[in-house]
Amino acid sequence: MNADKKNAIYLVGYMGCGKSTVGPKLASRLAVSFLDLDAQIETESGVSIEELFSKGESLFRAKELEAIRGTLGFGGVVALGGGAYVQPEVQQLLESETVVFLDASHDECWKRIAADNSHRPLAKSQSQSLKLWKSRQESYRKATTSVCANGQADSIANEIEKLVRWPTAKAVVNNAQPYPIYFDSLDNIGESIAKLAPTRCLLVTDSTVGSLYSAQVQDSVINAGVACDVVTFPAGEESKSMETLHQLARRAVSLKLDRHSLVIGLGGGVTGDIAGFLAATLFRGIDVVHIPTTLLAMVDSSVGGKTGINLPEGKNLLGAFWQPKMVWVDIAVLDSLESRHYKAGLGEVLKYGLLSGKELWNDALQWCHGELQRSAIESVIRRCIKYKAWVVGKDPLEKLGLRVLLNLGHTIGHAIEKQYGYGTFLHGEAVGLGILGTLKISHASQCYEVAKQALMSAGLPHELESTVTKITMDAVAGDKKHVGSSLQFIYVNAVGEPEVRLTSQEELVKSLGIEQ
C-alpha cells in the first residue's frame, strides 16, 4: 500500500464481521487514517442509522453513496456498512479501489451482533439475518480479495496488510503466498516481471499463440532488464504429455535456467498446465507467471495453481499444486481467439454462474445469447476470476470440500474428452455438456432447459443424450475425485446452491437414464 498514491482500502462484509474493529488496527499498521462510514453518516445527519432507515432505505442509500464518493482519494482505511457494497452503484464507484471482503460465517456475525446490543434495522431476528447474509454473499465476493474474519481482529488486520501490497491489482488470491491478478496490456508486463527479480525468464507458449504474442511479451521483459528466452510446443491437448514436459525441461536446462529463474506461461489451459508443471518440477520448483490468452484460461485455469499432464488412463492425472507469482490478463487478446475456442470458454462461464448466484448466472446466459456488451463481458470475466480467487484462498489444496465445487460439470466433461479422444471436444465444450449432465442428475429440469438453450444459442454442443453413453460413464471410473469406492460429485440444488455428495457410477448412470 502506497499512501502517497491516496489509494483507499475499503472493508466490506456482513454486519458483525468486524470491519469497525479491524479497520483501526489495519490503519495503524499502514500508518494511515481510519474512517467508519456509518459513524460519519450519523455524525453528519445528526441521527442514527436506524432513524435514517425509518425514513426509507432508498434515502439512506443515497446518503451512503454520496458519503462513499467523498472518500475517493482519502488514502486511508474505510469501513463500509453491511449493505453498501451490495449496491451496484457502489461496486462501480469502487471498481479501481482495493476492496477487502471480511468473510465471516453467519453464526460468528450473529454472535457479535447479539453481544454488542446494537440496533440493526435489517436483522431483527436470527432467521431474518441468515436470509439476508445469504443474499449478500455473491456481491461481497466481487471484492478485490477476501480474508476469513472468524478470528481475532489483530490477526485479521495482519493478514489484510499482506494483501494490499498491489494497489493496481484487480484481484488478489489470499493463500500462504498471496499473489495479484492484473488486467493490463501485454506491453506493460515487463516492469512487474522485473520486480520479481528473476535471474532470467523462460517464456513457454504453443505454436499458435507464440506466433501472435511471444515477441510482444519477450520484448517487454527484455526492455525491463531481464533476459528472456522463448520455447514453443505444438498447439493442442495432445501436447499435455510427459514427452512435451521432458523436452521443455531439457531445453530449460540447456538455456542455463537456475533455481532463481522464472517460467512464464503464455497461452490457454494446455499451456498453463504444462508451464506450471514444468515450474513445479524443474530444480524442485521455481517461480511461474501465467498470461492466459483464451477465455477459458482467463476465467478458470490460470488462477489457483493446478498444473498437470494427461495419462492414457485419464486427464490431469499427473500434476501438482503450484501457485503462480502473479496472473496477467489482457482482454484484448481475445480479439484474435478463434471463434470455436472463444465459445468453448462459455462452458466455464456458465459453471461460475451456477456456483456464484443468480446475478452472474443471468449475465452468463445473456452472454451465450449474444446479448452482452463488451464492457459487461469484461466485468463477467473479472467476477468469474474473483469467485475462483475466493474459493482458492479458502481451500488452496482442495482439502476442505470447497474447492472441489469448481469441478462442477468436469466429472462427465473429462469422461467425454477421454471417450472421444482429446481434441474432438474442446475442454469448455465438454464442460458444457457435463453441466447439462449434472443438472439432469440433480433433477434441476428447469435449469437444464435454460442451460441447454444457452449452449445451443452460443453454438456449443448441447445434445447430451446422443453424446453421453455407457462408455462415457465407464470412463468416470478413472476420475481423480474418487474417495475410496465412492465418487465426489457436485450436484446443483438451485442456482448458487451447489452441493458435494458421495455417490456411485451406477447411481449417476441411472439418473441419466442410460441403459445398463
Side-chain angles (χ1 to χ4, degrees), residues 283 336 342 385 420 436:
F283 307 126
S336 65
Y342 181 88
I385 289 173
Y420 290 93
L436 291 184

Side-chain angles (χ1 to χ4, degrees), residues 39 70 73 91 98 100 123 157 184 190 196 203 244 286 297 316 340 342 370 377 392 454 457 461 497-498 505 510:
Q91 295 167 16
T98 300
V100 182
D184 201 350
L196 299 174
L203 178 60
T244 302
I286 64 174
N316 297 328
R340 184 185 174 195
Y342 181 88
I377 286 174
V392 170
S457 183
E497 297 181 22
Q505 180 183 341
K510 180 181 178 181

Side-chain angles (χ1 to χ4, degrees), residues 328-367:
W328 195 273
V329 180
D330 184 350
I331 298 293
V333 303
L334 293 179
D335 292 337
S336 65
L337 189 62
E338 190 266 330
S339 176
R340 184 185 174 195
H341 285 267
Y342 181 88
K343 292 176 181 178
L346 292 174
E348 290 283 359
V349 174
L350 285 171
K351 178 192 80 174
Y352 282 108
L354 282 172
L355 291 172
S356 179
K358 292 180 180 179
E359 185 179 343
L360 185 54
W361 172 244
N362 289 333
D363 284 345
L365 293 175
Q366 280 190 291
W367 192 351

Side-chain angles (χ1 to χ4, degrees), residues 204-267:
V204 177
T205 188
D206 69 32
S207 52
T208 300
V209 175
S211 65
L212 295 171
Y213 300 114
S214 63
Q216 186 178 359
V217 175
Q218 184 183 33
D219 288 347
S220 180
V221 174
I222 291 175
N223 290 338
V226 181
C228 183
D229 295 293
V230 179
V231 293
T232 62
F233 60 87
E237 186 78 24
E238 298 82 2
S239 287
K240 277 182 62 172
S241 66
M242 183 63 78
E243 180 183 2
T244 302
L245 181 69
H246 185 253
Q247 291 172 351
L248 293 174
R250 293 195 65 185
R251 182 64 175 148
V253 172
S254 72
L255 290 170
K256 308 301 183 184
L257 267 72
D258 58 35
R259 297 191 71 182
H260 302 285
S261 297
L262 172 75
V263 172
I264 303 172
L266 171 68

Side-chain angles (χ1 to χ4, degrees), residues 16 37 42 71 91 123 144 161 166 170 182 251 262 297 315 320 330-331 355 373 377 380 385 420 444 478 493 498 511:
L37 196 77
E42 287 184 328
T71 66
Q91 295 167 16
T144 310
E161 184 182 8
W166 306 282
K170 292 302 182 184
Y182 294 102
R251 182 64 175 148
L262 172 75
K315 188 177 173 75
D330 184 350
I331 298 293
L355 291 172
Q373 299 297 319
I377 286 174
V380 171
I385 289 173
Y420 290 93
N493 297 324
S511 296

Side-chain angles (χ1 to χ4, degrees), residues 58-72:
S58 60
L59 175 63
F60 170 75
R61 295 302 175 197
K63 288 183 176 292
E64 182 179 59
L65 179 62
E66 190 60 32
I68 294 172
R69 187 174 284 112
T71 66
L72 298 177

Side-chain angles (χ1 to χ4, degrees), residues 181-189 213 216-217 266 290-295 298 327-336 374 378 381 385:
I181 301 170
Y182 294 102
F183 282 71
D184 201 350
S185 168
L186 296 182
D187 292 328
N188 300 327
I189 194 173
Y213 300 114
Q216 186 178 359
V217 175
L266 171 68
H290 289 306
I291 309 174
T293 60
T294 66
L295 176 58
M298 287 179 184
V327 177
W328 195 273
V329 180
D330 184 350
I331 298 293
V333 303
L334 293 179
D335 292 337
S336 65
R374 185 180 179 91
E378 182 170 339
I381 291 173
I385 289 173

